[in-house]
Amino acid sequence: MELALVIGVIAIALLFDYTNGFHDAANAIATSVSTRALTPRVALLMAAVMNFIGAHLGTSVASTVGKGIIDAPDGRHGLIIVGAALVGAIVWNLITWYFGLPSSSSHALIGGLVGSALAATASVHWSGVVEKVVIPMVLSPLVGFALGGIIMIAILWIFRGANPHKASRGFRYAQTVSAAAMALGHGLQDAQKTMGVIFLALVVGGYASPTGGIPEWVITSSALAISLGTYAGGWRIMRTLGRRIIHLDPPHGFAAEAAAASVLYTAAIGFGAPISTTHTITSAIMGVGATRRLSAVRWGIAGNIVTAWVLTIPAAAVVAAIAYFLLNLILG
């Protein structure tokens, strides 16, 4: 029975990874598609490939998610907790995808883990949640906003005497590189979160040691699932990021992607912090847009997005708690 539960939780984790891919595909390529630097299908294919590569570049974020958020008990009860957490994250992903809101799959997963653990009276590492989730959740959008603005101002100053048509064409090519860097960072961050949950399920089920490394098959399957989800696309959210916050041109798109990618790499490699690619790219787009004038950013839409950010962790936690009670009733 426990082996069947382990397999079931792994399947649900890979389903979450897939929804993460199509939910967050817009993070990497919305700006490049909206500026016509890349066609949608080419952009999605490139993002899928770079997601797969990025997933193989480290496991520090996976360790944070797998070991630093909750302590699930061994056996069937622990597997139910992990499964309920994933259900909470998937449901919130689908709700925000339906309404075209670029919420954070990462924070949905963290909220799910915390919600199911609290419902089961399991231990939550609150210091880890604050240090690795809450503080980066606040800082990464602020850094993304500021860095996007700084890079855009630097571009405007460096190319102030350039021919606008030639400069725009050059930045379309540059956006291919910045979009690839963004997709690589997305794989580095988000695929690792699924790896961490699968590893947690293996430890709880008795099929891995908590002090051991993450198996290669876990890394590869997580990378493949998020890549397939990315290639499936997330057109509703892509429209929000690419058009509705601000109308981007190639220089602005390049600046936003460069800023967001820099924050993702620093958080993953430097701190092992599971930050939101969604928060980072969205805030970078706002920061870049604000260099034109503050009124150029559609702050009403930005406000709706921030509301979704704030609601993500508690909403996913509530859904996960309900899922825990239902699963525990059926399987407990």
Side-chain angles (χ1 to χ4, degrees):
M1 181 64 181
E2 283 189 11
L3 176 59
L5 272 176
V6 169
I7 294 171
V9 170
I10 291 172
I12 297 171
L14 293 176
L15 176 62
F16 165 76
D17 207 19
Y18 181 86
T19 66
N20 189 343
F22 79 71
H23 188 279
D24 291 0
N27 294 341
I29 63 172
T31 54
S32 298
V33 172
S34 69
T35 62
R36 295 183 174 85
L38 296 168
T39 63
R41 280 297 159 199
V42 169
L44 284 170
L45 180 60
M46 180 201 69
V49 171
M50 298 308 288
N51 266 230
F52 187 86
I53 295 170
H56 287 81
L57 296 183
T59 57
S60 56
V61 172
S63 296
T64 297
V65 172
K67 303 173 185 177
I69 305 299
I70 67 170
D71 279 336
D74 292 338
R76 182 183 303 185
H77 191 213
L79 290 167
I80 290 172
I81 291 171
V82 178
L86 288 163
V87 170
I90 290 170
V91 169
W92 186 247
N93 266 359
L94 293 175
I95 290 171
T96 51
W97 167 80
Y98 180 80
F99 289 104
L101 291 173
S103 71
S104 169
S105 297
S106 309
H107 293 154
L109 180 58
I110 300 298
L113 286 168
V114 171
S116 62
L118 290 176
T121 63
S123 175
V124 177
H125 296 296
W126 291 112
S127 60
V129 172
V130 171
E131 181 184 337
K132 294 288 188 178
V133 179
V134 176
I135 292 175
M137 180 177 72
V138 174
L139 288 181
S140 58
L142 296 176
V143 174
F145 184 93
L147 191 57
I150 290 168
I151 292 174
M152 191 64 232
I153 290 169
I155 288 172
L156 292 172
W157 187 82
I158 292 168
F159 294 94
R160 63 190 183 280
N163 179 288
H165 178 71
K166 287 184 177 179
S168 182
R169 186 171 59 191
F171 275 105
R172 275 202 174 90
Y173 294 123
Q175 265 201 281
T176 304
V177 177
S178 61
M182 184 69 202
L184 192 76
H186 182 242
L188 178 64
Q189 272 281 346
D190 285 44
Q192 285 196 52
K193 292 152 192 170
T194 301
M195 295 176 208
V197 173
I198 293 176
F199 181 71
L200 177 60
L202 291 173
V203 170
V204 168
Y207 291 93
S209 167
T211 58
I214 295 174
E216 180 57 38
W217 69 265
V218 173
I219 296 172
T220 301
S221 59
S222 299
L224 188 59
I226 200 169
S227 297
L228 290 173
T230 297
Y231 189 67
W235 304 107
R236 292 172 184 264
I237 294 171
M238 203 177 297
R239 282 194 293 271
T240 300
L241 281 180
R243 294 284 182 186
R244 294 177 63 200
I245 297 174
I246 186 171
H247 183 76
L248 294 168
D249 57 20
H252 287 79
F254 171 80
E257 289 169 341
S262 299
V263 176
L264 291 178
Y265 295 145
T266 302
I269 298 171
F271 302 101
I275 67 166
S276 167
T277 54
T278 307
H279 292 194
T280 308
I281 186 62
T282 306
S283 59
I285 290 172
M286 292 178 191
V288 164
T291 60
R292 290 176 175 172
R293 61 185 188 281
L294 286 176
S295 60
V297 178
R298 296 184 179 98
W299 294 106
I301 292 170
N304 292 339
I305 292 169
V306 171
T307 301
W309 291 358
V310 173
L311 289 175
T312 292
I313 289 180
V318 169
V319 176
I322 294 170
Y324 165 77
F325 289 121
L326 291 174
L327 289 174
N328 195 44
L329 191 65
I330 297 167
L331 300 172

